[in-house]
Amino acid sequence: MFVRAYLRASTDEQDASRARADLDRFASERGLAVAAWYVENESGAKLKRPELFRLLSDAKPGDVLLIEQVDRLSRLNAADWERLKRELRERQVRVVALDLPTSWMMAGKDHDAFTARMFDAINGMMLDMLAAVARKDYEDRRRRQSQGIAKAKANGSYRGRKEDADRNAGIMAMLKRGVPWSQIVASTGASRSTLARLAKRAVTSAAR
């Protein structure tokens, strides 16, 4: 059994690795070591997340997917959450979340078949509940943001999100030098979607 830790933040401005020490400590307290780290800045509301699916591709039956909170894994709608659960089931990956104590048993030693099935059923039910709460929280925040933006636009005070100009200039310089995307992501914390946007900007700028 390998423990594979997944760290996610929604935006480039957030530190996806913030919870790394907590996950390391959790594993260490149980005599385990984190075998691999998967870090990305992508929305939990979308299923297409390269690092999450790299983790699932690497995982073997019985491996643990360790997360800080269930919302790091999913803010998905019901249909996408079912798709992700199916992937987890088919690959026989155990989800362990620091904010879900019923899942902690999954990081322990193997239990007899009856106990294992009980733990799995309880954990599945709790995962479903917390994933639904995370989705509702996401939708509520989006609604409040939309209302705030609409009000700001009506007042003529909306300016949009401020771009990190210094970081993006550095990324564009690395892109021009041919630095691999994986290296840029690792060194800057930027998402691949941001790199794609900046690469397109660099091409447009060069064509002028």
Side-chain angles (χ1 to χ4, degrees), residues 4-101:
R4 302 180 184 277
Y6 178 65
L7 297 163
R8 182 192 66 77
S10 298
T11 68
D12 295 335
E13 289 74 25
Q14 297 172 332
D15 181 8
S17 297
R18 173 188 54 78
R20 183 168 183 143
D22 290 336
L23 297 185
D24 232 348
R25 182 165 51 251
F26 176 88
S28 179
E29 287 171 352
R30 286 155 182 77
L32 303 170
V34 177
W37 296 89
Y38 302 79
V39 184
E40 64 187 345
N41 288 72
E42 298 286 354
S43 171
K46 67 179 186 179
L47 189 57
K48 189 176 180 181
R49 279 177 267 159
E51 283 300 289
L52 175 58
F53 278 87
R54 186 169 74 86
L55 183 157
L56 294 176
S57 178
D58 292 344
K60 301 293 187 293
D63 281 0
V64 167
L65 192 172
L66 181 62
I67 50 178
E68 179 198 13
Q69 297 176 319
V70 173
D71 66 5
R72 298 303 87 196
L73 180 64
S74 174
R75 290 184 181 272
L76 299 166
N77 61 41
D80 283 344
W81 173 233
E82 288 300 322
R83 293 188 188 98
L84 179 55
K85 284 199 301 181
R86 186 166 60 248
E87 282 280 342
L88 293 166
R89 281 196 304 269
E90 289 175 354
R91 296 178 185 277
Q92 299 177 47
V93 173
R94 311 178 197 178
V95 176
V96 176
L98 270 58
D99 69 337
L100 183 57

Side-chain angles (χ1 to χ4, degrees), residues 3 6 21 43 126 141 164 196 204:
V3 177
Y6 178 65
S43 171
M126 296 300 293
R141 286 193 296 106
D164 188 339
T204 303

Side-chain angles (χ1 to χ4, degrees), residues 101-165:
T102 58
S103 71
W104 298 356
M105 311 165 194
M106 310 292 279
K109 297 178 181 178
D110 290 335
H111 304 279
D112 62 80
F114 174 76
T115 304
R117 286 184 64 187
M118 283 205 42
F119 285 166
D120 191 50
I122 293 170
N123 197 43
M125 179 180 65
M126 296 300 293
L127 273 173
D128 277 342
M129 184 183 72
L130 290 181
V133 169
R135 179 64 187 188
K136 184 178 185 304
D137 176 67
Y138 169 79
E139 291 175 343
D140 287 347
R141 286 193 296 106
R142 289 291 293 257
R143 186 179 65 255
R144 289 194 297 269
Q145 287 170 356
S146 295
Q147 291 170 344
I149 290 171
K151 184 177 180 180
K153 285 181 176 178
N155 295 336
S157 59
Y158 180 66
R159 297 291 181 272
R161 180 180 293 173
K162 187 177 180 180
E163 179 178 323
D164 188 339

Side-chain angles (χ1 to χ4, degrees), residues 174-194:
M174 285 189 278
L175 288 168
K176 289 177 181 177
R177 294 200 307 269
V179 177
W181 280 31
S182 58
Q183 186 177 329
I184 298 175
V185 169
S187 61
T188 66
S191 67
R192 286 184 170 268
S193 59
T194 296

